[in-house]
Amino acid sequence: MLCYQCEQTDRTGTVPGCAGPLGNCGKDAETSDLQDLLLYAVKGIAQYATRARAMGAADDEAAEFVLYSVFTTLTNVNFNPTRFVGLLHEAAAVRDRVRERYEDRVRARAAQPVEPEPLPGPAAWIPAQDLEGLVEQASSARVDAGLAEAGADVVGLRALHLYALKGICAYAYHAHVLGHGSGEVFAGVEEALAYLADEPDDTEELLARAVGLGRLNLKVMELLDAANTGTYGAQQPTTVRATQVAGKAILVSGHDLRDLAALLEQTEDMGINVYTHGELLPAHAYPLLKEYPHLVGNYGGAWQDQQREFAAFPGPVLMTSNCIIEPHVSYRRRIFTAGPVGWPGVRHLTGRDFSPVIRAAKALPGFAEDGPEEFLTVGFGRDAVLARADRVTDAVKQGAIRHFFLVGGCDGPTPGRDYYADFALGAPEDTVILTLGCAKYRFNRHDFGEIGGLPRLMDVGQCNDAFSAIKIATALADAFDCDINELPLTLALSWTEQKAVAVLLSLLALGIRNIHLGPTVPAFLTPTAVGVLVERFGLRTVGDPGADRAAALERAAS
């Protein structure tokens, strides 16, 4: 295996990357290889799908399969090789169906009988029949394929495309399960995968198209925002209990609001309390989810602490979408997966039938007593913030608010992430901190106080809510009649996995400069590629939090 898609990448060798038998995320070499092969297979689907769509023979079911398949390959989503064997054979069948649609359309349009020529590369791939054969095939589909011919810069930029597409597909899948699909998004994903299937080697074109993927992701995040708010209502500032309540209990982690809603519906009036964990904290701000009184609070923090937190939780755990890590033996028999998530030996639920989780909750002890009352405030999405826009702009004009710091992104287990807590906690009292993503768990229990009745800490949500943060920034720029880069705003972003890559490209597509990124730069990008991003977009690597804050305030003052 070779995997360097996330911030957990092993950097101790001559060439960065996790190389068998086990990656730092817990993914084994066999699973990693099968994931690479699945990405190769969906490129083959895309080769035919782009042509079929251009001829009016689009297959949106195939596009939905691509979204799901790519999502399963993200960091900390699916570690089950058996599931990938099934997906690989399904991918070949989907590809053949799309090919037939395309070829039928070509024949129908031809003035004379014609037999379309088959496409090369991934489009011609035929899956091996067994696991051993598939793993052998994967050797030619590794992420660094073509390194000797194209060079490290090109291969790294191809990886940038691929990993951004992973994030885009994840966001689009979340929107899709809430009934919000888009032919434009399907077409954009298919076109990008087909482009990679042709093994591009022009670095300038690769960079330009990477920014184009950022624009595609903006459309996807807007679609997801419409799906979330259209289904469950616009987020509202909400106080969320962060300690336990006596009674039977179920813990839900990941990002999937629909899975959470289905579980809440199925447990209504059963006397079972439901808690969110990790990335699902913002669920408490949606009006239609808040209506369930047994959604009692949030338990625990960011994803990397789940082994300790899940072991201490006295009920079953439902893991949706991501981010799972190896379940400890202490809770392995009471954790369940759904959607794209998987772990060998862990029971996987389909069809949103959560009766096994409910039975487990009834059998397990739950919490014997209430915990001390501690609360978090969430729900400062764009509607909530923009409803206070006049107060915000007045506070800036009057000098009460000097600067905004958006401190957001993924948390993780690697060193250097205390930077973000230090950056936020050390912010001057005349500044406001907006937070987005699970990095906030390092400082969101701190009392930051208020400025003129406005909270100094505003929780905008998770990475799935990035569109809200963008709309807030653009609305403030409109209010001050300036460019986003002229706002008193600094972005300090942490990253772990591929959704963060997609969001970063969206910010670059918007022309946002001077983003502080860390705790490390992506291992798949060469120093040359990083240098280009620094030169063209003002991208900055994080350093000392105090010095970075001071420099940001100095830039804003000038």
Side-chain angles (χ1 to χ4, degrees), residues 325-453:
I325 57 178
E326 182 175 7
H328 190 266
V329 65
S330 60
Y331 62 87
R332 186 168 293 199
R333 295 184 64 183
R334 56 182 172 87
I335 186 172
F336 302 81
T337 61
V341 190
W343 191 279
V346 169
R347 186 168 179 183
H348 185 73
L349 305 179
T350 59
R352 294 190 175 82
D353 175 7
F354 297 126
S355 52
V357 182
I358 296 169
R359 287 195 296 269
K362 291 178 178 179
L364 289 163
F367 289 105
E369 59 184 11
D370 291 351
E373 292 191 350
E374 297 180 20
F375 298 91
L376 302 170
T377 301
V378 300
F380 285 94
R382 75 172 192 278
D383 295 279
V385 174
L386 297 183
R388 297 160 173 79
D390 291 343
R391 294 167 61 189
V392 172
T393 54
D394 287 346
V396 174
K397 290 174 181 177
Q398 294 167 10
I401 296 178
R402 177 168 41 141
H403 203 78
F404 297 89
F405 292 106
L406 174 58
V407 184
C410 318
D411 204 356
T414 49
R417 292 182 178 273
D418 286 340
Y419 170 94
Y420 298 93
D422 294 342
F423 192 96
L425 294 172
E429 293 186 358
D430 59 352
T431 62
V432 170
I433 299 98
L434 304 172
T435 184
L436 191 77
C438 58
K440 63 170 164 271
Y441 279 112
R442 291 183 180 252
F443 55 84
N444 65 345
R445 295 195 183 209
H446 178 76
D447 183 3
F448 284 86
E450 297 183 342
I451 298 177

Side-chain angles (χ1 to χ4, degrees), residues 161-434:
H161 278 246
L162 184 62
Y163 298 152
L165 278 168
K166 288 190 177 193
I168 290 168
C169 288
Y171 288 136
Y173 175 80
H174 282 302
H176 164 67
V177 298
L178 291 175
H180 284 62
S182 164
E184 181 183 6
V185 169
F186 292 156
V189 170
E190 291 166 353
E191 181 185 355
L193 286 168
Y195 172 70
L196 289 177
D198 289 337
E199 299 181 345
D201 58 7
D202 185 314
T203 56
E204 281 299 320
E205 182 182 68
L206 281 161
L207 280 167
R209 291 182 69 112
V211 175
L213 287 178
R215 287 189 286 272
L216 175 63
N217 189 53
L218 285 169
K219 296 173 184 174
V220 172
M221 289 193 297
E222 182 176 11
L223 192 70
L224 177 57
D225 180 84
N228 289 340
T229 59
T231 306
Y232 303 112
Q235 290 190 42
Q236 302 168 344
T238 303
T239 300
V240 182
R241 186 176 181 121
T243 53
Q244 75 267 17
V245 176
K248 302 289 187 179
I250 296 173
L251 185 61
V252 189
S253 192
H255 287 91
D256 201 303
L257 294 179
R258 187 176 177 188
D259 280 351
L260 175 62
L263 179 68
L264 289 169
E265 183 178 351
Q266 292 170 37
T267 51
E268 199 166 13
D269 299 324
M270 284 189 175
I272 299 173
N273 294 323
V274 176
Y275 298 80
T276 59
H277 174 269
E279 291 85 354
L280 270 177
L281 173 60
H284 295 270
Y286 289 98
L288 293 188
L289 296 178
K290 288 167 60 175
E291 288 181 357
Y292 292 95
H294 60 301
L295 179 62
V296 297
N298 188 76
Y299 177 90
W303 64 273
Q304 75 274 6
D305 297 325
Q306 67 185 252
Q307 288 180 323
R308 171 176 52 82
E309 292 167 352
F310 291 1
F313 189 80
V317 178
L318 174 63
M319 180 61 72
T320 74
S321 70
N322 55 303
C323 307
I324 193 171
I325 57 178
E326 182 175 7
H328 190 266
V329 65
S330 60
Y331 62 87
R332 186 168 293 199
R333 295 184 64 183
R334 56 182 172 87
I335 186 172
F336 302 81
T337 61
V341 190
W343 191 279
V346 169
R347 186 168 179 183
H348 185 73
L349 305 179
T350 59
R352 294 190 175 82
D353 175 7
F354 297 126
S355 52
V357 182
I358 296 169
R359 287 195 296 269
K362 291 178 178 179
L364 289 163
F367 289 105
E369 59 184 11
D370 291 351
E373 292 191 350
E374 297 180 20
F375 298 91
L376 302 170
T377 301
V378 300
F380 285 94
R382 75 172 192 278
D383 295 279
V385 174
L386 297 183
R388 297 160 173 79
D390 291 343
R391 294 167 61 189
V392 172
T393 54
D394 287 346
V396 174
K397 290 174 181 177
Q398 294 167 10
I401 296 178
R402 177 168 41 141
H403 203 78
F404 297 89
F405 292 106
L406 174 58
V407 184
C410 318
D411 204 356
T414 49
R417 292 182 178 273
D418 286 340
Y419 170 94
Y420 298 93
D422 294 342
F423 192 96
L425 294 172
E429 293 186 358
D430 59 352
T431 62
V432 170
I433 299 98
L434 304 172

Side-chain angles (χ1 to χ4, degrees), residues 502-542:
V503 172
L504 176 63
L505 290 179
S506 291
L507 296 174
L508 299 184
L510 288 169
I512 297 176
R513 299 182 58 82
N514 299 319
I515 299 169
H516 295 253
L517 181 67
T520 61
V521 297
F524 53 84
L525 291 178
T526 63
T528 300
V530 172
V532 171
L533 293 175
V534 169
E535 177 185 354
R536 297 187 184 181
F537 301 102
L539 199 64
R540 299 168 181 269
T541 54
V542 300

